[in-house]
Amino acid sequence: MSRAYSAIRPGATALTWATSPRNDVHMVQALLLSIGQLFDKRIVAVFAKSMLVTLAIFAALGAGLWFGIEYLVATYFSASQSIASLAAATAVLIALLGAWLLFRIVAIAVIGVFADEVVHAVEAKHYPERFAAARDVSFARSAAMGLRSAGRALLVNLALSPLYLILLVTGVGTAIAFFIVNSWLLGRDLGDMVAVRHMPAQDLQRWRASTRLPRFATGAAGTGLFFIPFANLIAPIVGAAMATHMFHRRNAK
C-alpha cells in the first residue's frame, strides 16, 4: 500500500471510507469553499490557461467547419461563392445550437489536462498533510484522462440521442435525462482526477463502486453550473475543486 493511500486513513479500505456515517460530505460547504478559492493565483492561472486553450480549440473547429463546408458545397455541388458561404454559415449556426454539449466536452478535456494544478491548489490550502503525501500525476496521464472524459461524454450522449429526441414530446424529459446522464459522467471524471493522486490503480474500481452517490452529487452541481451563463465558464474548475473537497472530507477521520 502506498504512502499516499495509507495517509488518508491507516488500516481503512475504500469501502469503509465511503460508507462511514462520519464521512458525510456537505455539498454546500464544498461549493462555497471552491468558489471562495477562485481568486487564488494558482486557480486564476489554470482558468486563464484553460480558457485560452478552449477558445483556440473552438476557433479552430469553427474555421475548419466554415471552410470545409464552403469547399464541399462549391466543389461537389458547383454552387456559387455566395451560396457556399451561406451553407457554411448555416452549418456553423447549427453547430452553435449544440454548443452547450460541445463546450462541456471541450472544457472537461482541457481542465483534465490542468486538473492536477487545481487539486494541488485546493489540497495545499485545505489539506496540507494529504497534499504532502499525494503521488504526482504525469502530464501525459492527466491529458489521457481528459481526452477519455471528452470521448466518453461524446459517445454516451450520441448513443442516447434517440432517447433525447423521443423524450422531446414530454417537454421536460429530454432536459432531465440529459442532466442525469451528464451529472453521472462528470461526477465520475472529476472524482477520478482526485482519486488517482491518493490510491493505487487497482483500488479505483472499488472506490468508484462505493462512492456513486457523492460523485453523482458533485457531477450534478458541476452540470448545473454549465446551464448558467458565465458560471459555465468556471464550472470545470469549481467542479474539480469540489471533487477535491468531497474526496478528502468524506475520507477524513
Side-chain angles (χ1 to χ4, degrees), residues 63-182:
L65 181 63
W66 179 284
F67 291 114
I69 294 296
E70 194 175 54
Y71 173 79
L72 289 174
V73 172
T75 302
Y76 294 98
F77 295 94
S78 301
S80 65
Q81 182 62 42
S82 59
I83 295 298
S85 297
L86 179 60
T90 302
V92 171
L93 181 61
I94 293 173
L96 288 175
L97 296 177
W100 185 90
L101 177 59
L102 185 60
F103 177 78
R104 178 248 185 270
I105 292 172
V106 173
I108 290 300
V110 172
I111 201 61
V113 176
F114 302 114
D116 215 37
E117 297 180 45
V118 176
V119 178
H120 276 191
V122 174
E123 289 183 344
K125 180 176 181 178
H126 296 281
Y127 315 99
E129 291 185 4
R130 295 176 186 177
F131 171 72
R135 58 165 54 87
D136 289 328
V137 178
S138 68
F139 178 82
R141 188 175 185 187
S142 294
M145 289 179 66
L147 291 174
R148 281 199 299 269
S149 297
R152 189 161 41 242
L154 180 61
L155 291 175
V156 170
N157 280 285
L158 285 177
L160 292 176
S161 57
L163 175 63
Y164 295 155
L165 291 174
I166 292 172
L167 290 175
L168 281 174
V169 298
T170 67
V172 296
T174 297
I176 293 174
F178 194 79
F179 180 82
I180 291 173
V181 168
N182 284 276

Side-chain angles (χ1 to χ4, degrees), residues 47 50-51 54-55 58 61 95 98-110 225-226 228 230-236:
F47 175 77
S50 61
M51 283 304 300
T54 301
L55 291 174
F58 270 96
L61 290 174
W100 185 90
L101 177 59
L102 185 60
F103 177 78
R104 178 248 185 270
I105 292 172
V106 173
I108 290 300
V110 172
L225 289 176
F226 272 110
I228 304 173
F230 301 110
N232 59 352
L233 299 178
I234 61 171

Side-chain angles (χ1 to χ4, degrees), residues 8-34:
I8 294 176
R9 181 179 291 185
T13 65
L15 183 61
T16 57
W17 295 344
T19 56
S20 173
R22 295 176 298 173
N23 296 332
D24 290 340
V25 178
H26 299 287
M27 286 291 300
V28 173
Q29 186 178 23
L31 176 61
L32 292 177
L33 286 171
S34 301

